[in-house]
Amino acid sequence: MADLKLNELGLHFSDDQGFRIQSDSHPEVVSPDHLTKDEIRRIVVLASSLHITVVPEIDSPGHLGAVLGPPTPTSSCTTRAAPSPAAPSTSATPPPPASSTT
């Protein structure tokens, strides 16, 4: 990469509903073929020595389903809040459109 003057490496850590990086907080969602924290550190050190910036990529919200678990009525994006009471309108009625003459 350095020889080609490519200075950014995007590491994609999410794949389907699993993650390709070691996780202490959610080990149940880590893919069998994952990178350990030590491997990530070595990649970052090597990249830095070659003036390459490592950019971590974790897709969300799609890949967060495995971490968040099944939706609940309070967490679902499809749950609609109860409508708020309508406030009385204080705006004036807009003027009628200007008539065009042809």
Side-chain angles (χ1 to χ4, degrees), residues 1-9 47 50-53:
M1 284 183 66
D3 290 341
L4 297 173
K5 301 195 185 298
L6 299 173
N7 61 359
E8 220 171 69
L9 171 64
L50 298 171
H51 307 288
I52 297 172
T53 302

Side-chain angles (χ1 to χ4, degrees), residues 2-76:
D3 290 341
L4 297 173
K5 301 195 185 298
L6 299 173
N7 61 359
E8 220 171 69
L9 171 64
L11 287 181
H12 190 75
F13 291 128
S14 55
D15 184 30
D16 192 24
Q17 288 299 314
F19 288 86
R20 302 239 177 238
I21 186 170
Q22 180 183 350
S23 172
D24 295 330
S25 60
H26 292 286
E28 69 277 6
V29 299
V30 176
S31 299
D33 297 326
H34 67 277
L35 296 170
T36 65
K37 291 179 181 182
D38 187 50
E39 289 171 323
I40 297 295
R41 285 185 193 103
R42 288 188 302 185
I43 290 171
V44 170
V45 168
L46 176 60
S48 178
S49 72
L50 298 171
H51 307 288
I52 297 172
T53 302
V54 176
V55 179
E57 300 173 4
I58 297 179
D59 293 338
S60 63
H63 297 299
L64 292 179
V67 174
L68 299 175
T72 63
T74 58
S75 69
S76 175

